[in-house]
Amino acid sequence: MESLKNRIFNCTKCDLYKTRNNPIFGEGSYCAPIFIIGEAPGHEEDIVGRPFIGKSGQLLDKILEACNFTRNNHVFISNIVRCRPPENRVPTPHEAEACMPYLLEQIELVNPKILVLLGATALKYMVGSNHRITKERGTWLEINGRLAIPVYHPAALLRDPSLKRDTWEDFKKIFFKYRELVNPNHQSPHIGLY
Ligand code: URA
Ligand code: URA
């Protein structure tokens, strides 16, 4: 992880390093059973150097908290692209492809049971450009022998709060898969066990 961090911090494989303040390595447990993949850092993340700390991140934290998951214990949070694209535009295919090897290496190091793909960009680069978040969210996929579930990006929930209902159903699936694969005693006061 330290070698990976050094390579990310010194990376010049695409032009985003020229305009970024801080590359985002990711954060959470280095042996997290759940690995969350976003798109790219935004303004706040770029200033501070941590993933998902702006408005989207605060919503993500609320959802994780409702599942009784914490950043320190249950998840590792990372992104397709490590440096902020100017004006928060979607990363270009060149930028994403240049940065993907870091993510794939990080996934191998953490070795999670469950990958959570947040939004269209994570789905596109982890699974393929013919996949649609609106069709496939909440369905289990397999990526190199690992379970993965696409869900809406929290920024999409902020733009359209009516998507929150489906997203909560999706996170309950993640909660129950975590109980099945990792800890059968995991509970949350917000999720009934019926
Ligand atoms: N949105 C993302 O996709 N990633 C972040 O780290 C922050 C916002
Ligand atoms: N559009 C996106 O870019 N992401 C989502 O999660 C949903 C719609």
Side-chain angles (χ1 to χ4, degrees):
M1 281 291 216
E2 288 309 307
S3 145
L4 180 61
K5 192 179 273 182
N6 274 321
R7 281 176 282 135
I8 289 173
F9 275 63
N10 293 305
C11 185
T12 57
K13 287 201 283 181
C14 79
D15 282 345
L16 293 181
Y17 80 93
K18 295 178 181 168
T19 48
R20 61 141 167 87
N21 288 296
N22 289 293
I24 315 296
F25 176 69
E27 74 178 25
S29 166
Y30 285 4
C31 51
I34 301 172
F35 194 112
I36 300 178
I37 304 168
E39 178 176 290
H43 174 70
E44 286 88 348
E45 291 81 14
D46 176 62
I47 298 294
V48 175
R50 294 177 52 208
F52 279 100
I53 56 165
K55 284 215 161 63
S56 288
Q58 289 160 27
L59 179 53
L60 177 63
D61 281 340
K62 274 174 66 178
I63 299 169
L64 293 175
E65 196 183 317
C67 297
N68 203 12
F69 293 144
T70 63
R71 286 197 188 203
N72 286 340
N73 292 305
H74 303 90
V75 306
F76 190 87
I77 304 180
S78 199
N79 280 304
I80 296 292
V81 160
R82 306 299 169 142
C83 297
R84 182 193 183 206
E87 317 299 329
N88 293 351
R89 62 166 172 71
V90 175
T92 66
H94 170 71
E95 290 158 358
E97 281 151 24
C99 217
M100 277 299 286
Y102 298 132
L103 179 62
L104 298 179
E105 183 175 338
Q106 201 164 40
I107 293 168
E108 290 306 309
L109 288 168
V110 173
N111 195 24
K113 299 271 189 229
I114 299 167
L115 300 173
V116 179
L117 313 179
L118 288 184
T121 298
L123 180 61
K124 175 175 178 178
Y125 291 104
M126 288 299 296
V127 187
S129 54
N130 52 331
H131 293 259
R132 291 291 167 266
I133 188 78
T134 45
K135 267 200 184 152
E136 293 180 55
R137 54 139 278 272
T139 62
W140 292 103
L141 312 169
E142 208 188 284
I143 302 175
N144 294 330
R146 236 181 269 283
L147 276 180
I149 186 165
V151 303
Y152 288 128
H153 193 287
L157 308 183
L158 292 170
R159 287 193 300 267
D160 180 358
S162 73
L163 302 177
K164 286 183 180 176
R165 182 185 286 263
D166 281 344
T167 302
W168 181 233
E169 294 306 314
D170 298 346
F171 271 87
K172 282 194 275 186
K173 289 185 188 175
I174 297 166
F175 172 91
F176 284 107
K177 191 61 79 179
Y178 177 86
R179 280 175 51 93
E180 182 189 325
L181 298 180
V182 182
N183 177 7
N185 298 316
H186 184 74
Q187 296 194 21
S188 161
H190 304 283
I191 302 178
L193 296 177
Y194 40 82

